[in-house]
Amino acid sequence: MTWITVAGLALPVSATAGPRDSAAGRARGFAQTSSGAVLAALHLLVRTSPQVGPRVWEPTLREQVVGPDVGAYIDAVTQDYAVAQEQLQIPYGDPLSPIYASIAGVRIDSYGPQAASLRLLIEAPDGSGGVARAATVVQVSWTGTDWSLIAPPRGDWSTVRALVGPAVTRSYTPLPGR
């Protein structure tokens, strides 16, 4: 396992689980395994964030996100990007400021060759010198050739995210090679 940085966030890459194609900032070519599903969830979640810029999130949202809430998710990312772009006074198309968080671990809730549901343990500064931890439920679906991210309910990740305390973090598996 090696690591790359996308929008300031360290993401794992595996020669066997993927992504095998990262051209133009995208992430494609994940193995149809539990490891491939985890890596797809991590990479697609980050590559659909406003921080990566529309050259990455627009095609990723269009081609690698599925589910009934895709339209709402596209609208949310587009709006979040527009607001941040205006605040930061950057040209349209440029990436935003980096993501100030890290993925501390993962917990697979369910896995099958066609679908997987997992929780990502994300750590970020809490604004007072400490660390806030949140668990986000992320689901992926096998589309016949690759994993696709399932859009969050109403296009809003806060609907599937909850703050967690330090005791809960023991139920998450740290990502290897860090």
Side-chain angles (χ1 to χ4, degrees):
M1 183 131 349
T2 59
W3 290 78
I4 61 170
T5 301
V6 177
L9 188 68
L11 294 174
V13 175
S14 164
T16 56
R20 287 185 284 284
D21 178 3
S22 58
R26 304 279 305 283
R28 296 175 288 244
F30 296 95
Q32 191 178 9
T33 62
S34 60
S35 295
V38 167
L39 292 176
L42 295 171
H43 282 267
L44 296 176
L45 179 66
V46 172
R47 284 171 166 86
T48 57
S49 71
Q51 283 81 3
V52 296
R55 288 182 192 94
V56 175
W57 59 254
E58 283 177 345
T60 303
L61 283 166
R62 188 175 53 250
E63 299 168 13
Q64 295 177 273
V65 180
V66 297
D69 296 302
V70 170
Y73 191 31
I74 290 170
D75 291 346
V77 173
T78 302
Q79 182 177 355
D80 289 350
Y81 180 81
V83 168
Q85 176 208 5
E86 169 118 0
Q87 288 174 343
L88 297 170
Q89 295 291 299
I90 62 168
Y92 182 83
D94 286 358
L96 302 175
S97 58
I99 298 170
Y100 295 106
S102 63
I103 299 163
V106 63
R107 186 172 78 199
I108 298 173
D109 292 330
S110 65
Y111 170 78
Q114 300 302 313
S117 180
L118 50 113
R119 293 172 198 263
L120 300 180
L121 179 62
I122 300 169
E123 294 181 340
D126 67 3
S128 63
V131 174
R133 292 172 187 83
T136 302
V137 176
V138 181
Q139 298 178 317
V140 292
S141 175
W142 185 256
T143 61
T145 57
D146 209 350
W147 290 106
S148 287
L149 182 68
I150 297 175
R154 298 184 303 282
D156 183 359
W157 288 110
S158 72
T159 63
V160 290
R161 181 176 53 231
L163 293 176
V164 295
V168 174
T169 64
R170 288 189 288 277
S171 66
Y172 286 80
T173 302
L175 297 174
R178 289 292 292 172

